[in-house]
Amino acid sequence: MPDFTRRNLMATTAAAALGASVAGVATAADEDTDTPNAPSVRGDLRRFASTALGAEVTGPEVTAGGSLFFSLQHPSRDNPAPFDKGGVGYVAGYDVMNPEFEELDVPSTNDQRSRVRVGNGEYTLFAQEGDTVGNGETLGIPTTPDGTSVTEFAGSRYSELGYNPDMNRFVPTNEAETEGYLFTNWEQSPGDISKMPLSQTEDGRWEADLEDTTNLANTDAFRSIGGTRINCYGDLSPWGTPLSAEEEYSHPRLSLQTKTSDFADTDGPKQRGAAQFYNRPNPTDVQSAVDEYYGDDSWMVQGYWALGGLELLAYYLGADPVDQDGDTNTTTPIDGPYPNPYRYGYIVDFREPTSETPQPVKYHVMGRAAWECPDVQSDRKTVYLTSDGDDKGFYKFVADRPIPSYKEPMDVAGTLSVAKVTNQEAAANEPPAEVNLELDWIELGHASNAEVAEWIAEYDDVDQVCYLETHAETDWREDFEQALMEADKAVVEGGNQSYVSDEEILAWASQYEANGPNGVDEELRKVPFLETRAAAKEVGGTVEFRKSEGIDSADGAKPGDYIYVGISEVNTGMSDDAGDVRVDRVDGGLVYRAEIEPDYDISTLEPVIVGPDATDTAETADDALVNIDNLLVLNDGRVLCCEDADQYGRSYPNDCLYVYTPSDWSPDGNNEDNGNRGGNGNGDDNGSDDGDGEDEE
């Protein structure tokens, strides 16, 4: 059983508390020694943009006319206006599909570091944090059912609301793609997706219609699915709809590589993850409570910081705010409606995207995780999904038939699988630049979206009162602190009895081993869809990937083309001495690519960009790709690579956007029939199919 006690995880826990984007900073310089071929590039890498101090480069999107959109996410408040607020903008005066551009130099002055710079053209913001949009609302801010902004309430936060725009996906309404709607993710809790009308003038400049911009979170259709959490990156489906990924970091039920079966025959504390404390009063305090209860034997409650915002999500759903006390939420439990954890951590499809109110549907059947992004293949059946954070899996969903052929999205059915790295021995303790990762796919289960939705609904009535009354002997109304301690310890030792139990996980795994994925009892079929990561661990999936972030292929990509996958950091589970992946550590991360096979399968991840080590000097690190986050494959085969880093030995603290040209690239590209759009967009259909066609059956 892995040893994840407080003594050897103190530094990791401290980094996690700072947020996912900086995890690894605390110990990187001490542990990441010189790894051969780090950094290195198989091809050409050139800097196109640097963002303002404190901000990530997120949400790249490219129109048919070559306009590049991207977001300014969480910039420093010390930057001069307008670069001191989160916002969405574009590069005016440059066609990004032109492979010739002036490579940007490093930001060397305070002025250069405090604003967004691009090699060609000019970065122009057309919408920002705090802007007033339709119905008098504020851009990116969810409200309660009675219209009160959730910012009015006390409670833990998962980031500042309206400060973290991420994905941008453009749905055109004309063939030239000069008019349409920009869908933007807001990475927060409660989550939001804004729908903003855009139009391009004759001189090429874009204008936003803020009066008709909608916070989709505040529509009845959005609220009816329970809202969303932590909307990160996303995709444009081959049927022309925006796909938003919920990066639900708090989904781990056990920390890091620990499996449920590791504790099958043991009594006492188990190294629980954040999901087991989802309905705890003041859930973000659970780490300090575990530290107090167990001292040096405590552990990192993986994802505990991502429980932030659950109280606000409850108020968004209509719960009465409890004992608001200035800027803090008291410990009085919320008695519902309260967020059901199994309703979050999915891919959300916005059908009818150009209608007044797009219709959201969550693809529960694709599994539950901290999704960074999906990549839907042009067969319209195969979807690859990356999950961010420590010790996560790489997943594939294959629908029984093309997804838009289902008249009712809840009828979408298919098979969920997890990747297994099979060349562990060959890859052990080798430089990542020299090691391909060979993959098999382990089937986890088959279901329909409607079936999974029914399983999820079984947990809708669980709230914070349940946490106390189910797990504590003391009446919380008489002695709250004692009851909370009893409940915490009961959950640590026996699991949260209000959710899927350890016993169900183990029973599913036992039947799976004996009978295969389709031979489990009916009541256990829910396990791999509601507890995807726990199920993958039990059947031998490789749940070791560290911050598996951007994933993309070109529009209409076919067998022989490539899918690109970004790994923001190669450390922890990928570089330890256990499991399927044991390569040398590279805290700067890397980018893999995988050739699409005739059946839209992929079986080999080939490294093409490797970042620097944490110990590298500015001379080495300044022009290297550090901590890849979002990436977008242009239809000529080049790749836009966005960073989420402001660390290591660089001479500057800014994140950058690079253009990667593969060594085997040719100017003709390999998707010339599909227009100029970047990303894995709407392929040959140009958005004409909204997914409401008749069933094939």
Side-chain angles (χ1 to χ4, degrees):
M1 183 173 65
D3 180 18
F4 296 140
T5 64
R6 182 175 180 78
R7 282 187 290 269
N8 63 16
L9 278 177
M10 180 71 76
T12 307
T13 304
L18 296 173
S21 65
V22 296
V25 176
T27 58
D30 295 331
E31 299 181 17
D32 188 4
T33 56
D34 189 31
T35 298
N37 297 319
S40 61
V41 180
R42 297 184 185 180
D44 178 64
L45 188 71
R46 292 194 294 161
R47 184 186 301 102
F48 178 77
S50 64
T51 192
L53 184 66
E56 298 178 38
V57 183
T58 58
E61 172 68 309
V62 177
T63 69
S67 291
L68 169 61
F69 303 142
F70 63 88
S71 297
L72 178 64
Q73 187 184 83
H74 59 64
S76 169
R77 298 300 192 191
D78 294 330
N79 294 334
F83 302 116
D84 57 343
K85 296 180 180 180
V88 181
Y90 74 104
V91 179
Y94 179 68
D95 179 353
V96 76
M97 296 307 298
N98 180 358
E100 300 300 323
F101 64 88
E102 182 178 345
E103 183 171 12
L104 193 70
D105 57 0
V106 302
S108 59
T109 67
N110 288 337
D111 175 67
Q112 291 177 340
R113 293 173 180 175
S114 63
R115 58 187 176 90
V116 179
R117 304 162 62 235
V118 293
N120 290 75
E122 178 185 6
Y123 183 74
T124 302
L125 287 158
F126 47 66
Q128 268 194 290
E129 175 188 3
D131 284 347
T132 299
V133 296
N135 299 320
E137 297 175 357
T138 303
L139 181 64
I141 304 297
T143 65
T144 64
D146 68 4
T148 303
S149 170
V150 295
T151 60
E152 298 296 316
F153 301 105
S156 62
R157 259 59 173 171
Y158 183 96
S159 80
E160 294 183 54
L161 291 128
Y163 185 43
N164 289 298
D166 201 302
M167 175 199 84
N168 296 293
R169 289 303 181 198
F170 183 66
V171 178
T173 54
N174 65 354
E175 187 173 354
E177 298 195 9
T178 58
E179 295 180 353
Y181 296 96
L182 188 69
F183 289 76
T184 299
N185 277 350
W186 298 86
E187 192 173 345
Q188 58 195 32
S189 177
D192 189 17
I193 293 94
S194 58
K195 175 194 174 191
M196 183 183 305
L198 294 182
S199 60
Q200 192 174 25
T201 62
E202 291 185 0
D203 65 359
R205 302 191 73 83
W206 286 90
E207 296 178 346
D209 179 359
L210 295 183
E211 289 186 2
D212 289 326
T213 295
T214 304
N215 287 318
L216 295 179
N218 299 332
T219 63
D220 291 341
F222 199 100
R223 209 181 301 272
S224 71
I225 63 169
T228 60
R229 294 197 78 221
I230 317 176
N231 300 90
C232 192
Y233 197 35
D235 199 2
L236 194 70
S237 73
W239 48 95
T241 61
L243 302 176
S244 175
E246 290 185 290
E247 196 174 47
E248 173 53 297
Y249 278 114
S250 62
H251 76 277
R253 62 181 292 124
L254 286 167
S255 290
L256 304 180
Q257 296 176 44
T258 311
K259 298 188 296 184
T260 306
S261 55
D262 289 337
F263 298 111
D265 300 317
T266 62
D267 295 324
K270 281 78 172 178
Q271 291 156 358
R272 302 288 175 187
Q276 295 284 277
F277 304 98
Y278 210 84
N279 64 326
R280 180 189 192 270
N282 279 5
T284 54
D285 288 347
V286 69
Q287 182 67 65
S288 59
V290 165
D291 291 345
E292 179 182 348
Y293 302 150
Y294 301 104
D296 284 345
D297 291 325
S298 68
W299 59 95
M300 180 185 73
V301 180
Q302 187 175 358
Y304 77 92
W305 46 272
L307 296 170
L310 283 177
E311 298 98 337
L312 301 185
L313 182 55
Y315 304 153
Y316 164 85
L317 295 174
D320 291 330
V322 297
D323 291 344
Q324 297 288 296
D325 181 17
D327 294 331
T328 62
N329 208 54
T330 70
T331 51
T332 302
I334 298 171
D335 62 359
Y338 192 77
N340 174 350
Y342 298 124
R343 291 203 174 277
Y344 308 98
Y346 300 102
I347 303 303
V348 191
D349 190 355
F350 285 88
R351 300 296 182 101
E352 304 174 31
T354 62
S355 66
E356 182 177 355
T357 305
Q359 299 300 304
V361 58
K362 291 193 179 187
Y363 289 128
H364 307 296
V365 73
M366 293 182 186
R368 172 173 163 263
W371 299 128
E372 176 78 24
C373 188
D375 186 37
V376 184
Q377 300 306 295
S378 58
D379 67 350
R380 302 178 171 215
K381 297 167 55 178
T382 305
V383 186
Y384 292 97
L385 305 113
T386 54
S387 183
D388 200 352
D390 283 310
D391 294 287
K392 301 293 175 61
F394 179 35
Y395 298 92
K396 176 176 71 171
F397 172 77
V398 181
D400 293 344
R401 64 175 196 265
I403 292 172
S405 73
Y406 292 88
K407 184 175 182 180
E408 171 51 62
M410 295 308 293
D411 291 339
V412 172
T415 300
L416 178 65
S417 301
V418 63
K420 168 77 171 179
V421 175
T422 60
N423 61 327
Q424 178 272 320
E425 184 174 349
N429 302 313
E430 294 291 338
E434 300 175 9
V435 177
N436 291 347
L437 298 183
E438 304 297 336
L439 306 178
D440 279 346
W441 293 95
I442 300 174
E443 181 179 338
L444 296 176
H446 180 280
S448 72
N449 211 31
E451 286 179 310
V452 184
E454 289 181 3
W455 298 328
I456 290 170
E458 297 173 9
Y459 304 92
D460 275 346
D461 294 331
V462 177
D463 55 30
Q464 290 186 342
V465 173
C466 295
Y467 186 87
L468 299 169
E469 295 189 346
T470 300
H471 302 102
E473 294 183 3
T474 298
D475 188 331
W476 62 271
R477 297 172 185 83
E478 297 179 0
D479 189 338
F480 178 85
E481 296 300 329
Q482 178 65 26
L484 183 61
M485 181 180 66
E486 291 173 1
D488 286 344
K489 290 185 174 181
V491 169
V492 165
E493 296 176 14
N496 192 319
Q497 299 304 306
S498 296
Y499 300 133
V500 174
S501 68
D502 291 353
E503 291 74 19
E504 288 174 301
I505 301 286
L506 295 172
W508 173 83
S510 176
Q511 293 183 20
Y512 179 104
E513 182 178 6
N515 307 314
N518 299 317
V520 301
D521 291 344
E522 180 64 25
E523 62 269 20
L524 295 176
R525 289 179 55 227
K526 65 184 177 184
V527 168
F529 298 97
L530 273 58
E531 294 285 356
T532 304
R533 180 171 177 262
K537 287 181 179 182
E538 292 298 330
V539 298
T542 300
V543 186
E544 300 169 46
F545 290 99
R546 166 68 171 144
K547 291 184 68 60
S548 179
E549 304 224 24
I551 180 170
D552 197 28
S553 53
D555 293 357
K558 296 178 175 61
D561 295 332
Y562 291 101
I563 297 171
Y564 285 81
V565 180
I567 304 292
S568 189
E569 298 177 17
V570 180
N571 50 39
T572 63
M574 294 186 72
S575 61
D576 59 16
D577 58 359
D580 299 328
V581 185
R582 308 183 190 184
V583 296
D584 285 349
R585 178 171 180 153
V586 180
D587 280 350
L590 57 75
V591 177
Y592 289 109
R593 74 176 184 180
E595 183 174 343
I596 303 171
E597 297 170 5
D599 56 358
Y600 288 90
D601 194 17
I602 59 174
S603 59
T604 301
L605 295 177
E606 169 197 9
V608 292
I609 307 174
V610 180
D613 294 306
T615 53
D616 284 335
T617 64
E619 183 179 6
T620 299
D622 269 1
D623 294 317
L625 179 65
V626 178
N627 298 143
I628 179 73
D629 196 318
N630 297 169
L631 57 79
L632 184 123
V633 182
L634 301 174
N635 282 338
D636 65 6
R638 295 175 299 142
V639 185
L640 302 183
C641 299
C642 304
E643 292 182 320
D644 176 11
D646 57 353
Q647 54 186 292
Y648 305 145
R650 279 180 168 177
S651 66
Y652 59 93
N654 305 73
D655 292 344
C656 298
L657 185 153
Y658 287 86
V659 178
Y660 167 64
T661 304
S663 57
D664 53 3
W665 180 80
S666 66
D668 295 335
N670 55 11
N671 287 284
E672 59 185 17
D673 296 331
N674 293 318
N676 289 328
R677 172 181 291 279
N680 188 29
N682 48 27
D684 296 329
D685 293 324
N686 200 28
S688 60
D689 187 348
D690 65 4
D692 288 327
E694 294 298 324
D695 284 335
E696 293 181 349
E697 293 182 348

